[in-house]
Amino acid sequence: MTILEKIAENAQKHPRRPAYYYEKPAGGGYKGDGEIPCHKARSISWGDLDEQSGRLAYYLDKSLGTRTPVVVYGHKDPLMLVCFLACVKSGRAYCPIDVSVPSKRVDAVIREVQPEVIMATEELSLSYQQILFAEDIHKIIETAAGAAARERAVAAQDVFYIIFTSGSTGVPKGVQITRDCLDHFIEWGLTLGSLLETEEGEGCVFLNQAPFSFDLSVMDLYLSLYSGGTIWALDRKIQGNMRELLASLKRSRAAVWVSTPSFAEVCLSDPSFGEAVLPDLRTFLFCGETLANRTAQRLLEAFPRAEVVNTYGPTESTVAVTGVTVTRELAGEVNPLPVGKARKGTWIFIMDEEGNLLPEGESGEIVIAGDTVSAGYWNAPERTGQSFGSMEIEGRAYRFYRTGDRGYQKGEQLFYCGRMDLQIKLHGYRMELEDIEQNIMKLPGIRRAAVLPVRRGGQVRSLSAFVAAEEMPKDAFAESQRLREALRRFLPDYMIPKKFVFLESLPLTVNGKVDRRVLGGDIL
Ligand code: AMP
């Protein structure tokens, strides 16, 4: 059954069950000294989700001339989900943008997508011809004359969503994921934890940590929507306050946890985080960065009845393509942990620089082929051609994607060793160092910039920028502050370097490129 058929079926079966639950902070912290933070609960039932998205889809279908993708801007209001489903029910892809994305970047994405309409559930202070705000959308839903017909929905080969990731030229890349890719991912995703394969797993609560513009959120949203569950979405402000976070987790009664390992590490820093907070928790699903053995061990100690699953994959192959259950034995014996075995329908190849297959155990570039590999980047045939292609496997043509990740295989298990290029992960966020450099070099008075990750204990802890300015600043501290402030207009906070070093000029390699090794040693 496809995701859209399954959503319709779930809505019919249990229309009153909450499909999505979100606590919106009211901005004031706690009420008195009680345990309950000031927040407004916003939820939507399965019946309302299906009906409202159908009505909004009807409006989009009747009022828009083209089927270009729709940008959906906001944070975690339930209306976001209504908008996503309305887009796909009317045959359009949606492109989610979270409020944490700075306005210059929102602007760059909108200019790339050229949507006929933007739907915004939060304030958006950009002047575009057609923005539908929350009140407009609610009005449309109330007054729509019907629901979009089923045949208007995205077909198997149509793009379901476009998620933008950091691009090395300073322009983000829009990864297009078709409905078929998503359906194949879900089918496998539901086999990841033993809970999800049982009847008990039907209708359970899935925790949502990731913003919707990060493809990790696809894991919780669509596994929950397929299995008739409830999504418990954590607001970003709540995530930043340990006391509120633990209280919200306690209220969630979540059974399935989906996050980056970094987020679980933050929670583990509070000694009370464990079964007493989340008594129903049975499955931890991780993706997006290295899961440390110690993290897995601590989670298994704090949640003796839960499973820990490590998954791996880039946005370009639909969330994740390999997975492994990390038992106590595995976490104790194998370090680093494997990222798992390829799902059915995915083939992993390890290749050298010339594209030759490497034997088992040798490390090289991870190439992913199969039925969840993206159709390519939005409106960027050249970039698509550089990383994507097609190959024949078992008598069928499959798309493949060169990940730029390094890894090796041992038996069926894949091991991840890091990036081949300059893409890094900092606190779970993926970014290209060149992207940050391009943005620094946009600032007046800057000639060149090189950004380097600062590692401690094998992990990236912060970023340092080496800057060749037109004039050496008299007060380096004040100049660093000025650059950081200026960068905030273009980059999210987590991409802003902590330290700036001013140099007359940057060292170059013989090819005339900035020599990162001279600046910072083992960058690659
Ligand atoms: P994103 O497209 O934002 O999901 O980032 C994908 C990248 O994150 C991959 O290409 C890897 O470099 C990294 N990644 C994803 N999963 C894992 C994992 N389980 N362990 C280590 N790195 C990972």
Side-chain angles (χ1 to χ4, degrees), residues 165 214-215 286-291 310-316 319 339 403 405 416 419 423 425 430:
T165 67
F214 180 11
D215 90 323
F286 290 117
C287 193
E289 58 178 354
T290 300
L291 173 65
N310 189 17
T311 74
Y312 155 86
T315 308
E316 285 85 344
V319 193
V339 294
T403 61
D405 288 334
Y416 171 86
R419 289 291 304 168
Q423 191 188 87
K425 280 265 168 157
R430 167 178 161 179

Side-chain angles (χ1 to χ4, degrees), residues 20 22 42-44 49 76-83:
Y20 185 93
Y22 165 57
R42 306 238 177 140
S43 66
I44 189 162
L49 177 64
K76 298 208 174 169
D77 194 280
L79 196 55
M80 290 291 278
L81 202 51
V82 173
C83 292

Side-chain angles (χ1 to χ4, degrees), residues 141-154:
I141 292 168
E142 264 169 43
T143 55
R150 292 248 169 115
E151 357 15 301
R152 305 300 291 163
V154 287

Side-chain angles (χ1 to χ4, degrees), residues 219-230:
M219 180 111 84
D220 43 82
L221 285 189
Y222 289 101
L223 293 188
S224 180
L225 287 175
Y226 197 93
S227 59
T230 300

Side-chain angles (χ1 to χ4, degrees), residues 3-217:
I3 179 67
L4 292 174
E5 288 164 352
K6 198 69 190 171
I7 290 172
E9 187 191 272
N10 288 336
Q12 280 247 308
K13 265 209 249 168
H14 37 68
R16 273 197 271 277
R17 180 186 289 173
Y20 185 93
Y21 199 94
Y22 165 57
E23 296 181 337
K24 189 181 174 75
Y30 297 97
K31 269 183 201 154
D33 58 359
E35 275 295 294
I36 303 159
C38 294
H39 65 258
K40 271 197 190 133
R42 306 238 177 140
S43 66
I44 189 162
S45 67
W46 271 92
D48 286 347
L49 177 64
D50 197 40
E51 187 177 334
Q52 293 183 16
S53 56
R55 285 164 161 267
L56 187 55
Y58 180 86
Y59 167 85
L60 296 175
D61 192 35
K62 296 286 175 233
S63 65
L64 299 184
T66 62
R67 284 192 165 204
T68 47
V70 173
V71 166
V72 183
Y73 176 85
H75 187 44
K76 298 208 174 169
D77 194 280
L79 196 55
M80 290 291 278
L81 202 51
V82 173
C83 292
F84 296 166
L85 296 184
C87 291
V88 291
K89 282 182 173 185
S90 73
R92 291 168 180 80
Y94 68 88
C95 170
I97 308 184
D98 187 69
V99 285
S100 59
V101 177
S103 56
K104 292 267 180 205
R105 217 170 166 84
V106 175
D107 199 39
V109 170
I110 291 174
R111 262 188 282 120
E112 275 289 301
V113 176
Q114 297 280 325
E116 203 181 339
V117 68
I118 297 163
M119 296 198 272
T121 68
E122 304 288 334
E123 221 173 287
L124 178 63
S125 50
L126 293 168
S127 50
Y128 292 103
Q129 59 288 33
Q130 207 184 346
I131 305 185
L132 296 175
F133 286 103
E135 57 271 33
D136 308 316
I137 302 169
H138 284 301
K139 214 170 277 163
I140 289 166
I141 292 168
E142 264 169 43
T143 55
R150 292 248 169 115
E151 357 15 301
R152 305 300 291 163
V154 287
Q157 298 309 321
D158 290 341
V159 178
F160 196 96
Y161 65 77
I162 300 179
I163 282 187
F164 275 79
T165 67
S166 175
S168 52
T169 55
V171 182
K173 302 180 276 196
V175 182
Q176 305 181 83
I177 298 297
T178 62
R179 199 205 71 205
D180 227 14
C181 288
L182 180 62
D183 280 331
H184 286 129
F185 163 72
I186 296 169
E187 194 185 333
W188 169 73
L190 291 169
T191 65
L192 284 173
S194 44
L195 169 73
L196 298 174
E197 292 185 288
T198 61
E199 267 179 34
E200 197 200 335
E202 221 196 285
C204 66
V205 178
F206 287 72
L207 198 74
N208 161 267
Q209 170 253 323
F212 298 142
S213 43
F214 180 11
D215 90 323
L216 180 57
S217 65

Side-chain angles (χ1 to χ4, degrees), residues 347-358:
W347 289 265
I348 302 279
F349 302 101
I350 306 293
M351 291 186 176
D352 68 11
E353 275 142 37
E354 278 85 48
N356 302 311
L357 281 182
L358 290 170

Side-chain angles (χ1 to χ4, degrees), residues 184 345-347 368-373 389-401:
H184 286 129
T346 287
W347 289 265
I368 298 171
D371 55 14
T372 60
V373 174
S390 170
M391 61 163 79
E392 198 190 302
I393 305 169
E394 296 175 1
R396 234 193 92 178
Y398 286 98
R399 288 185 67 69
F400 71 81
Y401 171 65

